[in-house]
Amino acid sequence: MEMWLDRRDFLRAMGAGAASLAMGKLAFAAGEGAAPFGGAQGKKPNVLFIAIDDLNDWVGCLGGHPDVKTPHLDRLAKRGVLFTQAYCAAPACNPSRAALMTGIRPATSGIYTNPQPWRKSEILKNAVTLPQHFMAAGYHALGSGKIYHGRFPDPPSWHEYWPSKTRCRPGDPMPAKRPVNGIPNARHFDWGPLNVPNEKMGDWQVADWVIKHLGKEHDKPFFLACGFFRPHLPWYVPRKYFDLYPVDKITLPNVKADDLDDVPPIGKRMARPKGDHAKVVKHKQWRKAVQGYLASISFVDDCVGRVIDAFDKGPHRDNTVIVLWSDHGWHLGEKLHWRKFALWEEATHNVLMCVAPGVTKPGGRCESPVGLIDIYPTLIELCGLEPRKELEGASLVPLLKDPAAKRDRPALTTHGRRNHSIRSKRWRYIRYSDGTEELYDHQNDELEWNNLAKDAQYADVKRELARWLPTKDAKNSR
Ligand SMILES: [Ca+2]
Ligand SMILES: [Ca+2]
């Protein structure tokens, strides 16, 4: 299938391949894939790797919500290339992050859900993660906050981690009385303002630690990870962020009450309209929930702003690649669904931006569909590291150089075994494990309201998109 040809072609293009690669990065850096910066000194660029948990496209520069205020994400995006159509490999923390950090998709690894320990997958147990690959190339790998899913940290991925290699982040303050929203058994599905200063928040402290390391000189090039947890639930952030969004002026998502009528049963089960959505409506919490999510986004935006300001004042500004991503999208009532865990646009669309001195130009916007799976090979190419044959993404460097460059492959998202979504520039095609389908035409239906899958005139469109489905669907790893 086409999807894998890219990879094989790439390997073939590497020519003599293994032998010269084995000689190390110098052999590679001297060839076609030479690091774009470093110049005469041959000094490798640093990487500042910023992750944001559960952030959908409600970011100013992506236009996902008219009320949202994200000045810092917007200014970072303007410095390099913003990918306006970036999609996750899986719409849940653990499988999305496992795929991003290993470069291997859920359908290959068998890691599809949050409770699966990803290092126990037969395919991933010896995988060389992105920071491990940088460590092997002489980098110092360090970080703080949520990079892997919280339950499954990966100590071999780091030289240094804060608070520790097995505990990725400090705790957060909580309101005295919970749940704030009055929904019974809400657990972390809750929202409300905190009367605490920013300094008490875990993400603020993660930023402090990262800022400290951005301000000093390092003996080696660094791979510095900064993983922010908000806007993950619960949406408890300092009151001033709630005050940015008066609840009576909140814009609710545009939702069609009968939107699920043309969705196959597996899709309906993913949406669970009688679950969160029914509770939110019954307890009159929709506006307050949207307010809580927006407030949490503006809080994390301030955290990003602090890191970028410190980066600019520090000594690494001209020799550091910045990549910022969120791990998947989020529904707030669209398709009567809440949270991630689905294959529609809201759950699969996420944030991705990259600044690479000497490669990207300010103000770049790339509208081709890309995947978070592409980050690993992109950073390899940007830093002139050895390629890895098992990686299933494709480098975004051609798009970083020219955001309008041609790219054929659509973005693939997988949710549970044999449920896939293919997103091209124009179409979204979903095929569930029982063969049922959805097809949406984003040119005329950006909210994915009209499922065209049963309309015979689109048979060729479906066939063309289906070529990109994985050829293998690995069994669930235990
Ligand atoms: Ca997440
Ligand atoms: Ca519909």
Side-chain angles (χ1 to χ4, degrees), residues 259-260 262 448-450:
D259 196 2
L260 291 172
D262 57 358
E448 299 185 343
W449 280 355
N450 303 310

Side-chain angles (χ1 to χ4, degrees), residues 302-366:
D302 264 2
C303 294
V304 170
R306 292 181 67 222
V307 168
I308 299 308
D309 286 345
F311 171 76
D312 284 342
K313 286 192 198 110
H316 306 295
R317 186 189 159 116
D318 298 326
N319 192 36
T320 300
V321 174
I322 305 176
V323 57
L324 181 147
W325 51 274
S326 67
D327 61 349
H328 47 71
W330 233 85
H331 285 245
L332 288 97
E334 301 92 343
K335 286 222 163 23
L336 317 183
H337 179 53
W338 287 71
R339 314 191 201 214
K340 44 256 188 174
F341 311 130
L343 287 169
W344 301 299
E345 186 75 6
E346 288 82 4
T348 58
H349 191 204
N350 49 263
V351 181
L352 178 61
M353 52 183 83
C354 183
V355 185
V359 179
T360 56
K361 292 185 200 70
R365 283 176 78 90
C366 175

Side-chain angles (χ1 to χ4, degrees), residues 52-55 92-94 97 146 149 232 327-328 330 340:
I52 302 181
D53 205 1
D54 283 25
L55 175 60
C93 302
N94 183 52
R97 289 162 185 260
K146 182 169 170 180
H149 187 47
H232 195 289
D327 61 349
H328 47 71
W330 233 85
K340 44 256 188 174

Side-chain angles (χ1 to χ4, degrees), residues 18 43 68 92 100 127 148 201 221 224 317 319 368 387 467:
K43 198 173 172 228
V68 76
L100 190 160
Y148 298 99
M201 301 295 294
L224 173 55
R317 186 189 159 116
N319 192 36
S368 294
R467 288 194 309 124

Side-chain angles (χ1 to χ4, degrees), residues 50-339:
I50 304 175
I52 302 181
D53 205 1
D54 283 25
L55 175 60
N56 65 12
D57 61 9
W58 292 12
V59 174
C61 54
L62 287 173
H65 194 285
D67 303 342
V68 76
K69 296 179 177 80
T70 54
H72 302 297
L73 285 162
D74 298 347
R75 75 182 158 102
L76 180 61
K78 273 197 203 129
R79 284 166 70 153
V81 173
L82 172 70
F83 291 91
T84 63
Q85 287 201 37
Y87 296 91
C88 53
C93 302
N94 183 52
S96 170
R97 289 162 185 260
L100 190 160
M101 297 300 285
T102 62
I104 296 171
R105 295 187 175 286
T108 305
S109 69
I111 298 295
Y112 296 104
T113 61
N114 279 343
Q116 295 175 281
W118 63 271
R119 272 294 192 191
K120 293 205 171 154
S121 150
E122 277 303 309
I123 304 294
L124 299 187
K125 67 181 180 191
N126 296 316
V128 174
T129 64
L130 174 59
Q132 282 181 303
H133 191 56
F134 275 74
M135 288 160 90
Y139 276 70
H140 188 60
L142 70 173
S144 179
K146 182 169 170 180
I147 296 296
Y148 298 99
H149 187 47
R151 285 171 63 190
F152 308 121
D154 191 49
S157 285
W158 313 103
H159 292 112
E160 267 184 86
Y161 217 81
W162 188 83
S164 79
K165 288 184 188 177
T166 52
R167 182 172 171 236
C168 70
R169 60 189 188 90
D172 281 313
M174 295 277 193
K177 268 187 81 176
R178 302 192 306 274
V180 180
N181 62 17
I183 296 177
N185 303 312
R187 295 191 189 87
H188 75 172
F189 191 63
D190 195 21
W191 34 85
L194 291 172
N195 296 313
V196 302
N198 284 338
E199 290 74 14
K200 296 276 185 208
M201 301 295 294
D203 283 337
W204 207 262
Q205 295 164 25
V206 164
D208 283 340
W209 191 89
V210 169
I211 286 167
K212 184 176 79 186
H213 288 277
L214 283 173
K216 52 182 200 193
E217 296 287 353
H218 297 260
D219 297 340
K220 295 178 180 177
F222 62 76
F223 183 100
L224 173 55
C226 172
F228 292 127
F229 185 63
R230 292 277 126 65
H232 195 289
L233 288 167
W235 298 326
Y236 306 141
V237 292
R239 183 174 295 277
K240 68 174 186 179
Y241 297 101
F242 278 77
D243 292 344
L244 290 173
Y245 304 102
V247 79
D248 55 325
K249 296 205 178 83
I250 291 282
T251 307
L252 289 183
N254 190 4
V255 175
K256 190 169 181 279
D258 63 354
D259 196 2
L260 291 172
D261 288 3
D262 57 358
V263 167
I266 293 180
K268 281 189 185 131
R269 283 204 293 279
M270 288 178 184
R272 295 176 59 241
K274 297 203 169 75
D276 296 327
H277 192 64
K279 288 184 209 164
V280 167
V281 171
K282 181 180 169 199
H283 291 271
K284 300 189 169 47
Q285 284 291 316
W286 204 346
R287 281 173 182 283
K288 287 198 167 174
V290 171
Q291 181 194 35
Y293 190 61
L294 291 169
S296 299
I297 292 170
S298 286
F299 165 73
V300 83
D301 184 68
D302 264 2
C303 294
V304 170
R306 292 181 67 222
V307 168
I308 299 308
D309 286 345
F311 171 76
D312 284 342
K313 286 192 198 110
H316 306 295
R317 186 189 159 116
D318 298 326
N319 192 36
T320 300
V321 174
I322 305 176
V323 57
L324 181 147
W325 51 274
S326 67
D327 61 349
H328 47 71
W330 233 85
H331 285 245
L332 288 97
E334 301 92 343
K335 286 222 163 23
L336 317 183
H337 179 53
W338 287 71
R339 314 191 201 214

